[in-house]
């Protein structure tokens, strides 16, 4: 069936380091992917997206990489800050506007 | 501009009762999506409404239902509540014919006891 999963449930990093959060997806026909950040008590917040015709997309301090060959997504956060502490979800756009979410990775940033 | 608003923030119900959750989309958005986020799990797609019609439904039993009103706000109803229905219910909205990101509300925490 459809699924989007994550390799690491929890990631601990030092403030100022770069963070890399990984995600695997199963539907090779998917053409749109999104990374969301969810802070405690809030709904998911859009971070960055990428379409399948791209390999890389950069935002402010964030970069998403897409490897279609192995069906793998990653989110890179540069110079991680305490405010980056949250749960990060990758999502794949399925049919009829449905988003298929992974289980999430908790990012903990330590001073 | 107001974001997606959901009410109530918290809801406690007894097993077997019915729960009604409400969502107001961002002004100008005509599509509303409902997701269930059980504790420690990712988001599971429930329903998609657009222009007042149900467009897609996730793998949930029929006791999960909803509707969208002419002003594009939406209601999610859960009948015959079960303990495992306890979760955070998130609503999101987008422009019709969405091809990009949707905006989520902060959710309604439903607890079934």
């Amino acid at each position: 069936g459809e699924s989007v999963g994550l390799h690491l449930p929890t990631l601990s990093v030092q403030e100022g380091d770069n963070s890399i959060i990984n995600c695997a997806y199963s539907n090779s026909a998917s053409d749109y992917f999104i990374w969301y950040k969810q802070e405690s008590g809030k709904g998911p917040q859009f971070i960055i997206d990428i379409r399948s015709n791209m390999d890389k997309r950069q935002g402010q301090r964030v970069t998403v990489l897409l490897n279609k060959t192995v069906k793998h997504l990653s989110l890179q956060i540069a110079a991680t800050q305490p405010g980056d502490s949250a749960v990060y979800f990758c999502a794949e756009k399925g049919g009829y506007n449905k988003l298929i979410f992974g289980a999430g990775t908790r990012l903990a940033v330590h001073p | 501009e107001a974001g997606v608003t959901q009410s109530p923030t918290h809801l406690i119900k007894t097993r077997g009762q019915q729960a009604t959750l409400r969502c107001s989309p961002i002004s100008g958005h005509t599509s509303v999506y409902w997701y269930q986020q059980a504790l420690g799990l990712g988001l599971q797609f429930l329903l998609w409404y657009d222009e007042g019609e149900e467009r897609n439904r996730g793998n949930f039993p029929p006791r999960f239902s909803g509707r969208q009103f002419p002003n594009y706000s939406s209601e999610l109803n859960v009948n015959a509540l079960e303990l495992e229905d306890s979760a955070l219910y998130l609503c999101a909205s987008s422009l019709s014919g969405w091809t990009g990101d949707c905006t989520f509300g902060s959710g309604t925490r439903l607890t079934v006891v």
Side-chain angles (χ1 to χ4, degrees):
Chain A
E2 300 169 316
S3 69
V4 178
L6 295 171
H7 295 310
L8 298 173
T10 305
L11 178 65
S12 293
V13 300
Q14 293 294 124
E15 181 178 355
D17 287 350
N18 296 334
S19 303
I20 300 176
I21 301 172
N22 296 302
C23 175
Y25 63 94
S26 60
N27 187 356
S28 57
S30 293
D31 62 0
Y32 183 64
F33 304 87
I34 307 173
W35 279 100
Y36 285 94
K37 172 186 180 182
Q38 187 175 25
E39 297 175 281
S40 181
K42 297 182 180 179
Q45 178 186 6
F46 173 91
I47 301 174
I48 192 168
D49 60 358
I50 189 168
R51 298 196 179 276
S52 60
N53 61 352
M54 302 172 70
D55 297 323
K56 178 180 179 179
R57 188 156 190 240
Q58 288 184 293
Q60 186 177 9
R61 284 201 305 118
V62 295
T63 301
V64 55
L65 299 177
L66 175 62
N67 185 332
K68 295 181 287 293
T69 302
V70 295
K71 292 184 288 186
H72 183 269
L73 273 169
S74 68
L75 176 70
Q76 300 178 359
I77 304 174
T80 313
Q81 302 169 0
D84 295 327
S85 294
V87 177
Y88 290 80
F89 295 94
C90 64
E92 167 187 9
K93 188 182 175 189
Y96 293 99
N97 280 2
K98 176 174 72 173
L99 286 173
I100 303 163
F101 283 83
T105 292
R106 182 172 300 280
L107 176 64
V109 182
H110 302 287
Chain B
E1 178 185 276
V4 177
T5 57
Q6 293 187 243
S7 63
T9 306
H10 294 85
L11 187 59
I12 300 176
K13 291 287 187 178
T14 304
R15 189 170 51 183
Q17 285 188 316
Q18 178 196 35
T20 298
L21 288 63
R22 296 179 177 83
C23 172
S24 293
I26 288 174
S27 177
H29 286 186
T30 61
S31 276
V32 170
Y33 311 83
W34 287 95
Y35 286 83
Q36 181 195 65
Q37 186 175 25
L39 189 62
L41 297 178
L43 285 74
Q44 301 294 319
F45 171 77
L46 265 167
L47 290 160
W48 169 34
Y49 291 95
D50 185 60
E51 299 283 355
E53 300 287 332
E54 181 180 302
R55 303 295 185 182
N56 195 12
R57 181 182 180 84
N59 188 24
F60 281 84
R63 57 192 186 81
F64 286 84
S65 65
R67 55 180 172 167
Q68 186 178 33
F69 299 98
N71 66 354
Y72 304 115
S73 66
S74 178
E75 229 173 52
L76 174 68
N77 294 293
V78 188
N79 294 320
L81 284 165
E82 300 178 2
L83 297 178
E84 49 267 35
D85 296 333
S86 295
L88 180 67
Y89 289 84
L90 290 158
C91 171
S93 73
S94 74
L95 296 170
S96 185
W98 169 62
T99 56
D101 69 287
C102 53
T103 303
F104 282 85
S106 294
T108 292
R109 171 71 63 185
L110 173 63
T111 302
V112 183
V113 297

